[in-house]
Amino acid sequence: DGCTNSVGEGYRVEGFDGPPETLTSMDPLLDFGGSEDHSKSLQRKAFRIMLQRLHGHQMFMHLIDLHHAHHPTPPEDAMTAAEVGECVLREMVRALACIALACRQVTVPQKWVGSSVALGFDSSAVPSRDHTEQEVLETLNVRVKIFDWGRSQLNTAEKYQALSRSEQKNREEFWRYYVGGVDRLSWEAARTYMHRFGNADDWSRVELKLLDFDSSSENDFIGRASVPVRDTGGETSVTLESAHGSQLTGVTITFQMRFQSFTSPSHSSQHPQGGDSGAVSRGSRLSGAWEVTILRASNVPSRDGMLNTSRSDPFVVVEAFSLDTQLHFEQHTSVKIDTKDPEWNEVLQLPVCKDRQRFERMLDAVAVGLGSGNGGG
């Protein structure tokens, strides 16, 4: 447990069915010759260890990452990846908050060793913006369930009173661990939602970070570029700076940026603050999203000198900051193996919501003061 997220946040990821390409491109055995040089059993174990070390915000980032999803002929009113992710994460936050509150209604401490929480949805579903919220959730089949009771013990009031004091303390300790883990998971889900989908005032800037993926150590920083949030009118290239602010000659990232308005009956490319944006359809709580397309990078230097190789395995981290600097968005591209001139052509969306207080009101509906912080205890 000491090497996993359990020691830091009270839980760890044990499995991930249908992971996004961003996650599967992170080869946990890359620094040891790559997965293809090892057995299937070792590949599974290495991937599991990588999952167990994910922090909560990283887990949720990958869970709702649909930017690689491809639907051959989506209908005109189909929700985008950002809208689907918003609906999924919002429902998961609500359900996790309900579980956390239910734990507080348990009258005697339990010893639920190994009990798990499953988070899931149908990533192949394409809801319509014209659907009601309930219809959207039914289409996406969002699920948050407690399961796996193999080593758990159900403690009743009678059984608890019959225990010795040391046994009672043991149950109390394990119950604190369980409730603490559920609370932290619920909080991380809500925090992720606010940073990704809670910005109604637009984004001030985007930072593009180029990193070299390492499976046995921290990823190596290569360079960064800070760009304003605006329509680029096509592709543009920026030269990266080192961690010390000096230019990396010839090292560039090529990208483009445009705003997509989520309107009905058709999409508009105008920003809602810049003119006619149409009527926001009832199935979406987002007014639109900035599409940041990471096209390619050039002349990526090697950062694997410690491994006695001259290779580079680059990926891009897209970070965005709200005007008041309180919100911080983060999304990753896939990792490109052993290349100095990687090409991605991946579209990442920076959502802009209609009403920031709507999320708080949803939490207040679960429990008074949960969203607004005015519960009075």
Side-chain angles (χ1 to χ4, degrees):
D1 283 355
C3 296
T4 72
N5 193 47
S6 293
V7 72
E9 298 180 0
Y11 58 86
R12 63 176 181 258
V13 180
E14 283 292 346
F16 203 131
D17 293 338
E21 186 177 325
T22 301
L23 189 57
T24 58
S25 70
M26 299 163 57
D27 184 353
L29 295 171
L30 185 64
D31 293 347
F32 305 96
S35 290
E36 63 276 5
D37 291 343
H38 300 276
S39 67
K40 295 292 184 182
S41 175
L42 183 57
Q43 290 177 32
R44 289 192 295 270
K45 290 179 181 178
F47 187 69
R48 183 183 178 188
I49 291 173
M50 184 176 71
L51 292 179
Q52 291 174 338
R53 294 173 62 85
L54 290 176
H55 296 296
H57 73 278
Q58 296 170 323
M59 177 194 72
F60 284 112
M61 177 187 72
H62 290 303
L63 180 60
I64 61 171
D65 180 6
L66 298 171
H67 82 270
H68 286 287
H70 297 291
H71 302 289
T73 55
E76 185 179 7
D77 61 351
M79 284 186 167
T80 65
E83 293 170 283
V84 170
E86 186 276 331
C87 290
V88 168
L89 189 53
R90 185 178 189 272
E91 176 60 17
M92 289 182 174
V93 170
R94 186 200 64 78
L96 287 170
C98 288
I99 293 175
L101 291 170
C103 287
R104 284 154 175 76
Q105 298 174 8
V106 176
T107 56
V108 291
Q110 304 295 317
K111 191 173 182 179
W112 291 350
V113 180
S115 175
S116 302
V117 177
L119 305 169
F121 69 102
D122 184 355
S123 61
S124 66
V126 186
S128 168
R129 290 209 195 95
D130 292 329
H131 287 168
T132 65
E133 181 175 359
Q134 186 58 38
E135 289 171 335
V136 169
L137 293 177
E138 289 174 357
T139 301
L140 292 171
N141 198 24
V142 183
R143 292 289 183 266
V144 178
K145 300 291 183 180
I146 300 176
F147 74 104
D148 192 2
W149 306 94
R151 293 183 293 147
S152 298
Q153 301 174 17
L154 179 62
N155 202 12
T156 64
E158 293 76 14
K159 289 181 180 180
Y160 180 69
Q161 292 301 324
L163 296 174
S164 67
R165 185 55 192 146
S166 62
E167 290 174 322
Q168 289 179 347
K169 287 183 177 180
N170 178 265
R171 302 303 192 275
E172 292 166 2
E173 180 181 16
F174 274 91
W175 187 236
R176 282 196 301 271
Y177 291 154
Y178 184 86
V179 175
V182 169
D183 285 350
R184 182 61 184 263
L185 182 63
S186 178
W187 183 80
E188 288 288 349
R191 182 173 76 123
T192 301
Y193 183 95
M194 280 301 300
H195 281 281
R196 298 185 76 86
F197 304 112
N199 186 12
D201 300 321
D202 215 346
W203 302 94
S204 64
R205 62 185 175 90
V206 166
E207 189 162 282
L208 307 176
K209 291 182 179 179
L210 186 63
L211 288 87
D212 172 66
F213 175 75
D214 290 322
S215 65
S216 59
S217 60
E218 291 294 321
N219 297 320
D220 297 313
F221 175 82
I222 297 175
R224 66 162 66 94
S226 184
V227 298
V229 178
R230 60 177 177 81
D231 192 325
T232 59
E235 65 178 62
T236 184
S237 297
V238 289
T239 300
L240 303 188
E241 294 182 348
S242 71
H244 305 292
S246 58
Q247 280 204 337
L248 301 175
T249 305
V251 183
T252 63
I253 289 179
T254 301
F255 72 100
Q256 61 186 32
M257 194 183 308
R258 65 181 287 273
F259 188 81
Q260 181 183 24
S261 181
F262 301 153
T263 61
S264 182
S266 61
H267 292 276
S268 166
S269 61
Q270 282 191 319
H271 186 283
Q273 296 176 353
D276 181 18
S277 62
V280 177
S281 51
R282 65 174 181 163
S284 178
R285 280 174 288 271
L286 304 178
S287 60
W290 285 97
E291 292 185 342
V292 181
T293 303
I294 304 300
L295 296 167
R296 56 189 173 273
S298 300
N299 302 312
V300 178
S302 172
R303 288 292 186 267
D304 285 340
M306 294 288 290
L307 300 174
N308 294 319
T309 70
S310 59
R311 63 184 291 161
S312 183
D313 309 298
F315 69 100
V316 176
V317 175
V318 175
E319 295 182 321
F321 303 87
S322 59
L323 294 172
D324 60 6
T325 71
Q326 296 300 305
L327 300 178
H328 173 205
F329 173 97
E330 179 180 333
Q331 192 68 56
H332 300 180
T333 68
S334 58
V335 176
K336 299 301 181 182
I337 304 300
D338 193 13
T339 176
K340 302 297 181 66
D341 298 293
E343 295 189 9
W344 288 281
N345 196 28
E346 297 181 21
V347 182
L348 309 181
Q349 292 179 302
L350 310 179
V352 179
C353 73
K354 288 182 60 184
D355 180 6
R356 182 172 179 170
Q357 277 68 47
R358 196 168 181 176
F359 180 63
E360 297 175 2
R361 291 195 296 270
M362 182 275 289
L363 290 176
D364 281 337
V366 174
V368 175
L370 187 60
S372 61
N374 297 321

